[in-house]
Amino acid sequence: VVPEMDGQLRHRALGASVGSASIVGGVVAIVAGCLSDRSRLLSLVIGTLVLGPAQLLRAAAVLRRGPSCRSKSRIASWVRCMLVAFLSVAMTTVAVAVFLAGFDGADDDAWYFGGFLGFVALIRLWRQGVLEWTTMPREAAHRRVKSRLCGIVFEATFYSVVCVLLAAWSQGSLYIVALRARLMAGILVFFAGEAHAEALQDCTSLPTTGEMPRGFELAEALVQPLVIGQRGPGLGRWFALTMLAQAASHRQQGALCRTRAGNSKPMVGSRRGSLPPLAAEVFGLVRSSPYARLPCTSGSGFSTSMDGHQASAMSMQHGDPRGKSIGFEGLPSTSTAASGSLFSTYLASGLEVLREFTIRVQCLAAAPRLRGPDALRPVQLAELDAAVAEMLPLLRVAATGLSGWICLSRDFDEAGVVQREEALQQVIYELCGVLASLEGLRPLLICGALQPSTACAVAVQEAQGEATHSLEQLLLTFEHAGLRQISLPRRYKRFIMDLGS
């Protein structure tokens, strides 16, 4: 059974693949039918219907949840991706042949040209095939396409000419058959491909129209095992963390205070004003019945690929704000999900992400100190390096989302849900832990004892900036509202004092 949030993400990818081809192809078909022989309109419509599934297969072959530095992959997954990529190129070739028939350019050599078009379109999507898990909602896809319309047309024309020349070279002839028809078909395919790439990035953005995610759907996704990597299950948890982070961002305050589109469900009243359904569920003013049926994962739900040396490095322990010792066996901590509160489930899920990033940075920092038989091989160091870079998107949305909702709770949490969970203390503690682990990594980078990859170096820099910004946001919001009651270790108090100064 596919979880609800995973299913929503797949439906969005399906709509982006088929919808972008239908819109672009439909406009071209209507224009061609009005300006020329309408008997060719059927060929253009059929080509558009074939191009949609071709783009869907293309996305299934190359779309990735995040940038990965890992070189090895499973053979079965690689074979599956190659097979799906071949099917996408084949269907693109069929669509191009049908388009050429609609543009009065059908010939026996059109299959070579269609194959080159499908391959180049696949490569172009592969370069843009990393989903962006942003903390801020993106502009609508059609606005992004419109803002760079001239550039898209130029690139589509350029790659169409390249494919025409490659097809002519492969046939061993300088004479190009139906040049105008081939250029028009190539521009149509590449333009639809650019619209497809932009629409795929909207899959991870908070919807501006339609149904907002419901509370029990988010809670069900938040207790899924933490899966990090290019592919595999567990996208629902990424999706839920991103939705909650974007809902709390300042640009979404207008959308946060509206009812769901197409739904007459009223807002929940409070002394501060009316709250939308999602905010009311986060702060415990309303509760959906499916909460009681939510599963709860145990602490062994990590999906990691660490070997013996890395596991021994991960066994380093660090204390939590309540004085307990938290080791590798105690992560992730989702025991609070059993209480049935959306915010408690969200808090446990976000804290798990922060702790996982801290441990991965600590493992990377401990690697250069290992000597003799315990020394890590270059392949193992590359795994630790990639593990930090892969965790950056989740760290960003978790830190931003938790700090945003906790700051909103000062004005809207009349039930005291955030205060009962001691969320302020726990999140400040974990953010200080992230900054402390990154501070321990800095001397190794300066002296050259550790040579990180470009992706890891960028991840370390962005993670430090995101953790610092989230911590500053909490300190400014609660400066005179209970901040002095938080007890922290001396090292973490130094971070607080440095930020305050």
Side-chain angles (χ1 to χ4, degrees), residues 52-73:
Q55 292 192 152
L56 180 62
L57 291 173
R58 196 183 304 157
V62 302
L63 199 62
R64 306 177 299 278
R65 77 177 69 195
S68 177
C69 307
R70 306 190 186 208
S71 58
K72 62 179 182 180
S73 60

Side-chain angles (χ1 to χ4, degrees), residues 111-124:
W111 302 103
Y112 292 95
F113 175 66
F116 283 115
L117 275 181
F119 180 74
V120 174
L122 180 69
I123 297 299
R124 285 180 58 79

